Amino acid sequence: MIERVNLSNIDKNRHKVGKIFMITCSLFYILSVAAKGIFAAEIHYIRDIWKLTEMQVELANTLYFITYGLVQIILFIFMEKINIIKYAFITVPISAIVSIAMGLVTGIEGVWVLFALVGVFQAGMWCTCNYLVTKYVPRKLLPSANKLLASG
């Protein structure tokens, strides 16, 4: 049975900020997963056009996850020591620019570099979203926020 949350007991400003962060972070995450899915769908096309081996193409994903994992570990350690809201406003646009730049590369080496950079910025985005949601979303709304983030 779903429990109804009595919002009259929750600080109105915190509730508003929490809802905005919850929706925005979920949207960012869903869009980043969609961008990754587009590359996965085009792997065979890229491999055929540039006459690459499967290992060369898959190295892009490997570089993405290596940088993604390393940045998440580093952010886990320093999350409380940096201004996370400024960090989010810096990393999200850079992640978008790097993702858009993917369409401009003409060789696999460029894809490798950009995927490593996308891994850096998307890892920061995911950690930031989780941190902001848990910090600003009222405790009673956290299950809903977690469901929204998990939908990506």
Side-chain angles (χ1 to χ4, degrees):
M1 184 170 180
I2 298 174
E3 177 187 340
R4 300 295 269 159
V5 177
N6 183 0
L7 298 178
S8 63
N9 296 336
I10 297 174
D11 177 29
K12 298 293 184 201
N13 288 334
R14 187 168 180 210
H15 180 282
K16 188 187 307 181
V17 170
K19 239 179 179 174
I20 290 169
F21 276 132
M22 188 169 69
I23 292 167
T24 305
C25 289
S26 297
L27 180 63
F28 284 149
Y29 183 67
I30 290 167
L31 291 175
S32 71
V33 170
K36 222 37 207 97
I38 290 169
F39 175 76
E42 299 296 330
I43 281 180
H44 300 293
Y45 182 69
I46 291 170
R47 188 177 65 210
D48 292 344
I49 286 181
W50 289 341
K51 296 176 183 22
L52 303 169
T53 65
E54 191 157 332
M55 186 179 96
Q56 288 174 307
V57 177
E58 290 299 330
L59 183 58
N61 283 328
T62 302
L63 291 171
Y64 171 85
F65 283 109
I66 287 171
T67 56
Y68 185 89
L70 289 173
V71 169
Q72 283 202 344
I73 291 168
I74 292 166
L75 279 177
F76 179 75
I77 295 167
F78 293 106
M79 190 69 73
E80 294 280 334
K81 297 177 178 124
I82 61 175
N83 183 331
I84 203 67
I85 294 176
K86 283 183 183 175
Y87 181 83
F89 280 106
I90 292 169
T91 58
V92 170
I94 293 173
S95 177
I97 290 167
V98 171
S99 295
I100 291 168
M102 193 72 68
L104 304 174
V105 297
T106 57
I108 192 65
E109 295 83 7
V111 173
W112 292 338
V113 169
L114 290 178
F115 256 62
L117 288 173
V118 167
V120 167
F121 295 114
Q122 285 187 358
M125 183 175 63
W126 177 242
C127 288
T128 302
C129 286
N130 279 323
Y131 180 80
L132 291 173
V133 165
T134 56
K135 185 172 181 176
Y136 290 103
V137 173
R139 186 173 299 263
K140 291 181 177 184
L141 295 177
L142 279 178
S144 298
N146 288 332
K147 285 180 192 173
L148 233 129
L149 281 173
S151 67

